[in-house]
């Protein structure tokens, strides 16, 4: 039973890599799926899907934002014998007005959630808030290292969630009973404004880091002037807009519901991640 393969998509990413590590530590048989994997898995090349799914009973599914591929992938997975899917989705999927039409991740997650619910096999859905790791290994890292994070987030706060907690919930859902048919809203234990978040990183690292609030228009103009595609810049602004509109500050109880313990606090994340901001 234990030797059935668990497929981890997004295996080189922030949650997938952690899920992989935790599963391997338990001695479970895992297959790491990404374009760098062996066999190579590419969401955009359906010819690579079957080899990734060969012999797999359980899938950790990190979708490809901007595409509606979760549904056909889950359908194929079920045809090939998959019995359980744990889907990484996003916060606000079921909240009217949370994400605008320009938000490409929103459409992916709405369709992906319904595909998983319709699949006929066991499923668990994870809806994380913004990851704390955006500051240490993600989209904010370069700006933090440069000392200035410019975002259209106003003075909105976010209950950032630690990717280690997301991975721990995913692994519980992949390997234990009691999580099927559940949707876990995942956040950290408190909300911080972006200014407070970078101040915490400054305090631990000694780096001078400031947050500069921009209007969405100025943000998009800066990104496009720096070479970003207009659509990509608009999507980024749209993804940040719930923060500015106060829709990302609530604290969710999914980590406690799934794991029976509190989520990791942002300060502890900063202390544990200090190496990311050195050098
Ligand atoms: N970041 C956040 O704060 C946040 C918050 C809530 C929800 N989410 C959701 O979490 C998901 C992951 O986002 P993330 O930004 O954190 O990314 P990530 O998981 O850190 O990285 C993306 C992963 O997908 C893989 N990938 C990319 N293109 C691929 C392709 N064509 N075929 C196969 N694999 C591919 C990448 O591997 P290779 O490049 O090696 O192929 C990588 O492992 C998204 O659906 C996002 O909406 C993110």
């Amino acid at each position: 039973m234990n030797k059935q393969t668990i497929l981890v998509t997004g295996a080189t990413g922030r949650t997938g890599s952690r899920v992989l590590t935790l599963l391997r530590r338990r001695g479970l048989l895992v297959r790491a799926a990404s374009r760098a994997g062996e066999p190579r898995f590419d969401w955009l090349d359906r010819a690579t899907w079957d080899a990734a799914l060969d012999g797999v009973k359980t899938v950790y599914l990190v979708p490809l934002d901007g595409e509606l591929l979760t549904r056909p992938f889950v359908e194929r997975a079920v045809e090939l014998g998959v019995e359980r899917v744990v889907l990484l989705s996003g916060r606000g999927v079921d909240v009217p007005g949370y994400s605008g039409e320009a938000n490409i991740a929103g459409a992916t997650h709405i369709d992906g959630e319904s595909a998983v619910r319709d699949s006929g096999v066991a499923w668990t859905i994870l809806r994380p808030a913004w990851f704390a790791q955006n500051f240490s290994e993600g989209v904010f890292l370069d700006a933090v290292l440069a000392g200035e994070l410019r975002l259209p987030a106003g003075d909105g706060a976010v209950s950032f969630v630690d990717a280690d907690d997301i991975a721990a919930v995913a692994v519980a859902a992949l390997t234990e009973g009691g999580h099927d048919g559940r949707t876990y809203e995942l956040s950290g234990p408190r909300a911080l404004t972006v200014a407070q978040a970078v101040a915490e990183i400054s305090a631990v690292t000694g780096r001078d880091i400031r947050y500069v609030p921009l209007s969405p228009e100025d943000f998009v103009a800066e990104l496009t002037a720096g070479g970003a595609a207009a659509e990509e810049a608009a999507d980024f602004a749209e993804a940040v807009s719930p923060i500015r509109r106060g829709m990302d500050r609530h604290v969710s109880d999914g980590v406690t519901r799934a794991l029976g313990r509190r989520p990791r606090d942002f300060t502890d994340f900063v202390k544990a991640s200090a190496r990311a901001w050195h050098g």
Side-chain angles (χ1 to χ4, degrees):
M1 184 73 179
N2 273 351
K3 288 298 169 195
Q4 289 167 343
T5 305
I6 302 175
L7 178 69
V8 177
T9 66
T12 53
R14 276 161 287 182
T15 65
S17 60
R18 289 170 165 84
V19 167
L20 209 57
T21 301
L22 293 174
L23 292 172
R24 282 186 173 141
R25 248 183 234 158
R26 292 183 183 201
L28 295 167
L29 198 59
V30 288
R31 181 173 301 141
S34 78
R35 289 167 299 180
E38 183 51 55
R40 184 180 71 91
F41 171 73
D42 187 343
W43 276 110
L44 298 173
D45 179 1
R46 293 188 192 207
T48 65
W49 292 8
D50 282 12
L53 287 164
D54 185 39
V56 167
K57 291 285 175 220
T58 307
V59 177
Y60 177 61
L61 201 161
V62 178
L64 185 62
D65 288 354
E67 302 288 340
L68 300 182
L69 294 170
T70 302
R71 183 176 298 278
F73 183 75
V74 168
E75 285 171 1
R76 185 65 184 145
V78 174
E79 278 170 13
L80 293 179
V82 164
E83 294 171 357
R84 168 170 289 152
V85 178
V86 176
L87 175 72
L88 182 68
S89 178
R91 173 179 256 188
V93 164
D94 61 341
V95 179
Y98 179 87
S99 73
E101 279 173 24
N103 182 244
I104 56 172
T108 299
H109 292 320
I110 289 167
D111 189 57
E113 287 199 6
S114 104
V116 164
R117 289 199 176 91
D118 293 346
S119 66
V121 298
W123 57 264
T124 307
I125 291 171
L126 314 183
R127 286 184 182 157
W130 284 80
F131 304 170
Q133 276 76 5
N134 286 310
F135 293 94
S136 59
E137 53 190 272
V139 70
F140 304 151
L141 176 60
D142 288 348
V144 168
L145 292 175
E148 195 169 87
L149 180 55
R150 302 167 71 81
L151 283 177
D155 59 0
V158 185
S159 51
F160 295 103
V161 63
D162 195 302
D164 283 338
D165 284 338
I166 303 171
V169 173
V171 167
L174 290 164
T175 60
E176 300 165 6
H179 304 286
D180 294 347
R182 299 211 169 160
T183 300
Y184 291 121
E185 304 272 349
L186 306 175
S187 81
R190 66 186 167 116
L192 297 89
T193 63
V194 178
Q196 288 168 333
V198 296
E200 294 230 7
I201 298 170
S202 288
V204 167
T205 61
R207 281 177 173 270
D208 188 15
I209 313 162
R210 8 183 249 140
Y211 163 60
V212 179
L214 296 179
S215 70
E217 295 75 22
D218 288 350
F219 178 72
V220 169
E222 280 195 8
L223 286 188
T224 48
E231 196 181 326
E232 189 189 329
D235 182 59
F236 197 165
E238 190 64 46
V240 174
S241 97
I243 304 178
R244 190 178 61 259
R245 292 182 285 119
M247 298 182 84
D248 262 324
R249 63 179 317 126
H250 59 286
V251 168
S252 310
D253 65 356
V255 173
T256 306
R257 277 175 62 218
L259 303 177
R261 63 156 174 85
R262 278 169 61 79
R264 182 150 78 160
D265 188 77
F266 192 83
T267 306
D268 296 324
F269 150 74
V270 172
K271 287 180 188 156
S273 309
R275 242 185 345 181
W277 303 297
H278 287 140

